[in-house]
């Protein structure tokens, strides 16, 4: 399966930039297969190597060809994979990872039969985390987020989307986005920020009045701050209805924020149709999406982001991944890491995708890499290991990528490269 070095003219001398070579790779997952043929939706090469200079992949090919062009002894970082598999770094495209406080007691209550929405209606859930975040210092928010990112990185995640939405007022929403910006600058994982002032209705407020505040006060301040790229809304019964969600997202578009929607999570309210209508980057959750929603999202080119950890933690039925896959959608997976879904591992998400949602390990890996990058509109090759892409890669302690979905006891990750540098092992 190994092919020629893609960039045969590459300059061997990488003295002007940091260089990296990973060779003797038993199974290299390069990215999605280009022609859709073959046993998996992935392009997989055997006995392969990759080389990177200045954080970018510059050669992909047979171990022999690449190491001739880029001798390991000349590289700043050289890894002999010794037959192990190498895959692109995971992209986690839906998290609420900047928070404070502890909600493990709510987990116990849910195990005894209490509903998620009942807890929220009583002022717990999201609203409880909002109180904890408002009380936390800026440094505490950054420290909490940084700790979670370290765990994610150890499980192979190199790019993470993080939402605000535990502030629910301009000042605290901005503080959350600022925390994301600070964490982005001080640790290896690349962060993509989403403004989610419309995550819940604050205690004692009336929904339309709060939507006015999001549109007239929060969004202009968020746009001026300039950290957020996306705008998300919890389109759900008892939270924001379709028209309220549309108001927020259309105002977000005016301010240059691309829409995303928490859609059809607990009920089928119409968030998927709204996402299709607005040409959102993604519609997320989709546990209650039906055939019409699948069709509408596919036609509009909206990426379905499925979050099996949420269904697992709540004991709910999973989203119908197969319906989306059979319709040709670029299904993405994410952790949805938040105090209601304490999962930071894209490895576990792939296991759930395979075991609970009928995805093949290859579909689950593609959903955790390139398709996840698509849902964040990352056009630089993130989620692949093709030439020109960021050299974000995971060396597994196993001979095949199948071990990502197959293992559910300990991590299959041996080392993580971000921009061609070893950042976890
Ligand atoms: O995606 N559903 C809304 N938001 C989160 C949960 C946030 C929370 O409970 O704190 C989600 O599951
Ligand atoms: Fe969420």
């Amino acid at each position: 399966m190994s092919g020629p070095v893609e960039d045969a003219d590459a300059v061997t001398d990488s003295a002007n930039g940091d260089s990296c070579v990973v060779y003797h790779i038993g199974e290299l997952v390069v990215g999605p297969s280009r022609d859709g043929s073959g046993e998996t939706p992935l392009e997989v090469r055997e006995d392969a190597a990759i080389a990177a200079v200045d954080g970018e992949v510059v050669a992909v090919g047979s171990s022999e060809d690449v190491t001739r062009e880029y001798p390991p002894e000349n590289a700043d970082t050289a890894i002999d994979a010794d037959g192990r598999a190498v895959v692109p770094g995971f992209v986690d495209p839906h998290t609420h990872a900047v928070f404070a406080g502890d909600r493990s007691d709510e987990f116990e209550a849910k195990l005894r039969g209490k509903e998620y929405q009942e807890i929220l209606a009583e002022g717990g859930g999201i609203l409880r985390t909002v109180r904890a975040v408002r009380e936390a210092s800026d440094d505490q928010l950054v420290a909490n987020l940084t700790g979670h990112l370290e765990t994610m990185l150890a499980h192979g995640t190199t790019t993470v989307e993080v939402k605000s939405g535990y502030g629910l007022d301009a000042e605290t929403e901005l503080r959350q986005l600022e925390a994301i910006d600070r964490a982005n600058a001080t640790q290896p994982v690349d962060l993509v920020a989403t403004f989610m002032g419309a995550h819940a209705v604050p205690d004692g407020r009336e929904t339309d009045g709060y939507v006015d505040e999001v549109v007239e006060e929060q969004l202009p301040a968020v746009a001026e701050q300039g950290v957020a790229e996306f705008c998300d809304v919890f389109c759900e019964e008892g939270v924001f209805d379709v028209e309220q969600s549309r108001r927020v997202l259309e105002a977000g578009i005016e301010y240059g924020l691309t829409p995303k929607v928490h859609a059809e999570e607990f009920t089928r309210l119409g968030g998927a149709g709204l996402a299709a209508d607005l040409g959102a980057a993604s519609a997320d959750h989709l546990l209650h999406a039906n055939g019409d929603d699948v069709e509408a999202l596919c036609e509009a080119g909206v990426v379905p982001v499925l979050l099996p950890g949420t269904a697992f933690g709540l004991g709910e039925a999973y989203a119908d991944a197969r319906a989306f896959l059979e319709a040709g959608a670029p299904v993405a997976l994410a952790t949805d890491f938040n105090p209601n879904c304490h999962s930071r591992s894209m490895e576990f998400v792939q296991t759930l995708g395979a075991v609970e949602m009928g995805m093949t390990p290859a579909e689950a890996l593609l959903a955790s890499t390139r398709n996840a990058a698509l849902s964040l509109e990352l056009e630089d090759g993130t989620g692949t290991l093709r030439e020109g892409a960021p050299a974000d890669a995971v060396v597994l302690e196993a001979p095949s990528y199948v071990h990502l979905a197959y293992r559910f006891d300990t991590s299959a990750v041996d080392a993580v490269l971000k921009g061609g540098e070893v950042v976890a092992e």
Side-chain angles (χ1 to χ4, degrees), residues 94 96 163 262 285 336:
H94 181 140
H96 307 254
K163 302 174 200 295
H262 278 61
H285 284 290
D336 194 21

Side-chain angles (χ1 to χ4, degrees), residues 94 96 103 106 110 116 120 125-127 129 163 166 196 199 234 236 262 265-266 284-285 307 310 314 336-341:
H94 181 140
H96 307 254
R103 278 165 48 196
E106 290 181 3
K110 282 177 283 190
Y116 175 87
L120 180 60
I126 295 173
L127 295 175
T129 303
K163 302 174 200 295
Y166 292 125
M196 199 174 178
H199 193 197
F234 191 11
E236 182 60 58
H262 278 61
E265 180 177 357
F266 294 98
D284 303 41
H285 284 290
L307 310 155
T310 317
L314 291 171
D336 194 21
F337 174 58
N338 71 71
N340 177 60
C341 178

Side-chain angles (χ1 to χ4, degrees), residues 125-270:
I126 295 173
L127 295 175
R128 186 167 163 206
T129 303
V130 168
R131 290 190 290 277
V133 167
R134 286 179 181 174
E135 278 167 23
S137 69
D138 294 351
D139 287 349
Q140 194 58 56
L141 292 179
V142 175
N144 290 357
L145 173 57
T146 304
H148 296 313
L149 293 169
E150 209 178 300
T151 303
M152 291 172 164
L153 187 67
H155 284 280
T157 301
T158 48
T159 302
V160 177
E161 184 260 16
V162 187
K163 302 174 200 295
S164 67
Y166 292 125
L168 309 188
D169 59 36
E171 185 198 334
T172 322
E173 288 292 314
L174 290 178
R175 288 209 301 122
Q176 279 199 284
L177 292 168
E178 177 68 23
I180 296 167
D181 203 39
R182 276 177 60 191
N184 196 27
T186 49
Q187 54 72 56
V189 178
D190 269 332
L191 303 184
V192 176
T194 296
F195 165 61
M196 199 174 178
H199 193 197
V201 182
D203 256 340
R205 295 287 297 274
E206 168 270 327
T207 310
D208 281 317
Y210 181 62
V211 170
D212 289 342
E213 179 187 321
V214 172
V215 169
E216 289 160 18
E217 197 189 320
Q218 295 183 19
L219 262 169
V222 165
E224 200 187 320
Q225 183 196 33
V227 173
E229 291 176 42
F230 295 93
C231 179
D232 199 342
V233 55
F234 191 11
C235 183
E236 182 60 58
E237 202 172 279
V239 193
F240 300 97
D241 67 23
V242 174
E243 278 323 301
Q244 290 158 342
S245 301
R246 180 189 290 277
R247 254 196 88 196
V248 170
L249 296 176
E250 283 182 344
I253 292 170
E254 296 283 307
Y255 284 105
L257 302 182
T258 305
K260 284 179 165 283
V261 188
H262 278 61
E264 334 301 0
E265 180 177 357
F266 294 98
T267 52
R268 181 169 180 269
L269 197 69

